[in-house]
Amino acid sequence: MSFKDDPRLMVIGDRLRSVRNIVPIMSSKGGVGKTLVASLLALVSVENGLRTGLLDLDVTNPTTHIVLGIDPSKVKPIEEKGIIPPSIHGIRFMTIAYYSLENPVPLRGYEIDDVIREILAITQWGGLDILFIDTPPGLSDESLDVLTYFTNPRPLIVSTPSPLSIRSVERLLTLLVEQGINILGVVENMVVRVTGHIRDLCRRYGVKYLGQIPYDPGVDIAIGNIEDLRNTKFYKHLMESFNILRTMLI
Amino acid sequence: MSFKDDPRLMVIGDRLRSVRNIVPIMSSKGGVGKTLVASLLALVSVENGLRTGLLDLDVTNPTTHIVLGIDPSKVKPIEEKGIIPPSIHGIRFMTIAYYSLENPVPLRGYEIDDVIREILAITQWGGLDILFIDTPPGLSDESLDVLTYFTNPRPLIVSTPSPLSIRSVERLLTLLVEQGINILGVVENMVVRVTGHIRDLCRRYGVKYLGQIPYDPGVDIAIGNIEDLRNTKFYKHLMESFNILRTMLI
């Protein structure tokens, strides 16, 4: 579809003009910790004084609000020539869950694409240093939209040491490199024993290794409570990854 | 789209006529172990003397062949009035990876739907007692196709004790119950400490609890090696779930 067919596509660039860095958190495999990394990196980023946004693009199963302990029936964006996402824990936070609440959201791919265009066309982010985007697993409309509708997206890839995750990340890196996408790096999550496979993968694709996060069963219990989350080992390790990542920001 | 528009839709019923039980392995959240459960349940089922099939419908990121240690460049379906899936470890096994190999498979939702119609229309399963289907996370074309193109699919849901997984499974159960789908039950995977939340969820939705599988980091190391997989705690626990499940088969 060309930009002429859908006027919303012309607006998206305007809406994001004052967002300096767009960082989609990606992985074709599910359950590697994308949602936790996206949500907690946003908190770390605020703590570091950056103007930070978080967009949940997992539209058929949004969960960033659950991590951040937000009840979407009680918080709503302000409508004003589009919508202004509320600031929660210092993060400009946008999710379809404001509207779908905890109901199931079964959507065909073309409907997902439509929802994403709508969200991007109406959301007024204002000035942001960094916008983190939580994406769903797989390699379909959401991921393709991220690579299509944003100017210079710089994905941060999450992987676990599992062979299934490594093979999935390999396919994703192949695609991103082919498309000339500027990859920020790879975070290795849920490490039980150090193997070096992800480091090797990064070397092979010329991508930065952003550090490893040990497997931390304590995170699950902390979900929904910001103070508890800040006290996890997971959070401490993410702070180190953020320090590397920060030097690469525009 | 009506059946008249796509003649393949009329063939699908014929192709599956001699398949007694169709069991999609589902969960809206990724990384809960769907692929491992689908692949290893197929092995357990063969060991129990059932004529067993396995279909990988995670078309943008197929990984069942990696679990089962199959090199898709070396095994191929036989073409004969459609295609006959090869029998591997006693399982009739079908995956798009025979054709995509280890390349990335970025597909829009409508393309995924098209691939799934094609696979279902050309695959000759023959007589099967049970066909396990690995599905991707999310609630989009693959899951909707499973509920649309199969007659009487009986999903087996996988969840972990994580709050993110529980909330995702709740949404999925809501949808399946609304649609009048006959749910086989829920397997609780990656249990670190017993909480009872999934049991409560099952009770609330009137769905069978099929048992719990402790978190087993040994599974990752065994991936790709059938003998090692059969020696994991994961496999032993799945055998118990299978014994419950077996009494519910047609």
Side-chain angles (χ1 to χ4, degrees):
Chain A
M1 187 180 280
S2 81
F3 275 37
K4 226 179 70 201
D5 296 325
D6 186 348
R8 291 178 298 182
L9 295 179
M10 291 189 296
V11 184
I12 292 174
D14 279 345
R15 294 296 195 198
L16 295 159
R17 183 147 304 145
S18 306
V19 177
R20 296 171 67 90
N21 296 278
I22 291 175
V23 180
I25 313 297
M26 300 181 86
S27 135
S28 301
K29 182 161 177 354
V32 296
K34 281 187 292 300
T35 300
L36 278 165
V37 168
S39 309
L40 271 59
L41 264 186
L43 286 175
V44 172
S45 171
V46 167
E47 212 173 301
N48 275 266
L50 301 196
R51 296 169 306 162
T52 305
L54 174 62
L55 169 61
D56 194 328
L57 274 196
D58 191 348
V59 290
T60 73
N61 197 42
T63 50
T64 46
H65 64 284
I66 302 174
V67 172
L68 295 172
I70 298 163
D71 180 344
S73 69
K74 299 202 174 130
V75 196
K76 289 279 175 270
I78 299 165
E79 296 196 27
E80 195 188 308
K81 295 182 189 165
I83 60 167
I84 300 168
S87 177
I88 301 171
H89 313 305
I91 304 163
R92 285 259 169 227
F93 177 56
M94 185 62 195
T95 171
I96 193 182
Y98 292 134
Y99 310 102
S100 64
L101 304 178
E102 289 306 326
N103 300 306
V105 192
L107 296 173
R108 292 267 172 193
Y110 66 90
E111 296 169 304
I112 292 173
D113 180 36
D114 190 56
V115 166
I116 291 177
R117 286 171 187 222
E118 189 67 20
I119 291 176
L120 297 182
I122 64 173
T123 308
Q124 297 205 50
W125 291 103
L128 289 182
D129 295 308
I130 191 160
L131 173 61
F132 294 102
I133 304 171
D134 188 27
T135 71
L139 209 45
S140 192
D141 289 272
E142 302 86 342
S143 312
L144 297 175
D145 281 357
V146 160
L147 304 179
T148 307
Y149 299 148
F150 294 104
T151 310
N152 192 24
R154 298 202 295 163
L156 184 157
I157 317 288
V158 184
S159 182
T160 71
S162 153
L164 299 189
S165 177
I166 293 174
R167 296 277 276 275
S168 305
V169 163
E170 234 178 306
R171 293 178 196 159
L172 179 60
L173 287 172
T174 302
L175 178 82
L176 295 176
V177 168
E178 267 174 20
Q179 303 267 317
I181 301 291
N182 198 342
I183 304 161
L184 268 188
V186 181
V187 169
E188 187 174 8
N189 191 20
M190 299 188 196
V191 177
V192 177
R193 52 187 194 98
V194 180
T195 62
H197 294 320
I198 309 276
R199 264 183 207 279
D200 292 346
L201 197 66
C202 285
R203 218 168 284 129
R204 204 139 45 78
Y205 281 86
V207 167
K208 209 167 189 88
Y209 180 80
L210 295 173
Q212 62 190 28
I213 304 174
Y215 173 69
D216 178 2
V219 179
D220 268 357
I221 302 157
I223 280 173
N225 184 315
I226 299 299
E227 281 324 303
D228 290 354
L229 283 171
R230 284 204 177 104
N231 287 323
T232 56
K233 280 185 288 178
F234 187 92
Y235 192 82
K236 308 256 177 309
H237 279 88
L238 262 192
M239 289 177 80
E240 291 169 27
S241 296
F242 182 82
N243 288 336
I244 306 175
L245 188 151
R246 190 171 188 173
T247 62
M248 302 159 75
L249 297 182
I250 300 165
Chain B
M1 186 181 279
S2 81
F3 277 37
K4 225 180 70 201
D5 295 325
D6 186 347
R8 291 177 299 181
L9 295 179
M10 291 190 294
V11 184
I12 293 175
D14 280 346
R15 294 297 196 198
L16 294 160
R17 183 147 303 145
S18 306
V19 177
R20 296 171 67 90
N21 297 278
I22 291 174
V23 181
I25 313 297
M26 300 182 84
S27 137
S28 301
K29 183 165 176 349
V32 296
K34 280 186 293 299
T35 300
L36 278 166
V37 168
S39 309
L40 272 59
L41 265 186
L43 286 176
V44 172
S45 171
V46 167
E47 213 174 300
N48 275 266
L50 301 195
R51 296 169 305 161
T52 306
L54 175 62
L55 169 61
D56 194 329
L57 274 196
D58 191 348
V59 291
T60 73
N61 197 43
T63 48
T64 46
H65 64 284
I66 302 174
V67 173
L68 295 172
I70 297 163
D71 180 344
S73 68
K74 297 204 175 129
V75 196
K76 287 280 176 269
I78 298 165
E79 296 197 26
E80 196 189 310
K81 295 182 188 164
I83 60 166
I84 301 168
S87 176
I88 301 171
H89 312 305
I91 304 164
R92 287 257 168 228
F93 178 56
M94 186 62 195
T95 171
I96 193 182
Y98 292 135
Y99 309 102
S100 63
L101 305 178
E102 290 305 326
N103 299 307
V105 191
L107 296 173
R108 292 268 172 192
Y110 68 89
E111 297 169 304
I112 291 173
D113 180 36
D114 190 56
V115 166
I116 291 178
R117 286 170 187 222
E118 189 67 21
I119 290 176
L120 297 182
I122 64 172
T123 308
Q124 298 205 48
W125 291 104
L128 289 182
D129 295 308
I130 192 160
L131 173 61
F132 294 102
I133 304 171
D134 188 28
T135 70
L139 209 45
S140 192
D141 288 270
E142 302 86 342
S143 312
L144 297 174
D145 281 357
V146 160
L147 304 179
T148 308
Y149 299 147
F150 294 104
T151 310
N152 192 24
R154 298 203 294 162
L156 185 157
I157 316 288
V158 184
S159 183
T160 71
S162 154
L164 298 189
S165 177
I166 293 174
R167 295 278 275 275
S168 305
V169 163
E170 235 177 307
R171 293 178 196 159
L172 179 60
L173 286 172
T174 303
L175 179 81
L176 295 176
V177 168
E178 268 174 20
Q179 302 268 316
I181 301 290
N182 198 342
I183 304 161
L184 268 188
V186 181
V187 169
E188 188 174 7
N189 190 21
M190 299 188 196
V191 177
V192 176
R193 53 186 193 100
V194 180
T195 62
H197 294 321
I198 308 277
R199 265 183 207 277
D200 292 346
L201 197 67
C202 286
R203 216 169 285 131
R204 205 140 44 77
Y205 282 86
V207 167
K208 209 165 190 89
Y209 180 80
L210 296 173
Q212 62 188 29
I213 304 174
Y215 173 68
D216 179 3
V219 179
D220 268 357
I221 302 157
I223 280 172
N225 184 315
I226 299 298
E227 281 324 304
D228 291 353
L229 284 171
R230 284 205 176 104
N231 287 323
T232 56
K233 279 186 289 179
F234 187 92
Y235 192 82
K236 307 258 178 306
H237 279 87
L238 261 192
M239 289 177 81
E240 290 168 29
S241 296
F242 183 82
N243 288 336
I244 307 175
L245 188 151
R246 189 170 190 175
T247 62
M248 302 160 75
L249 297 182
I250 300 165

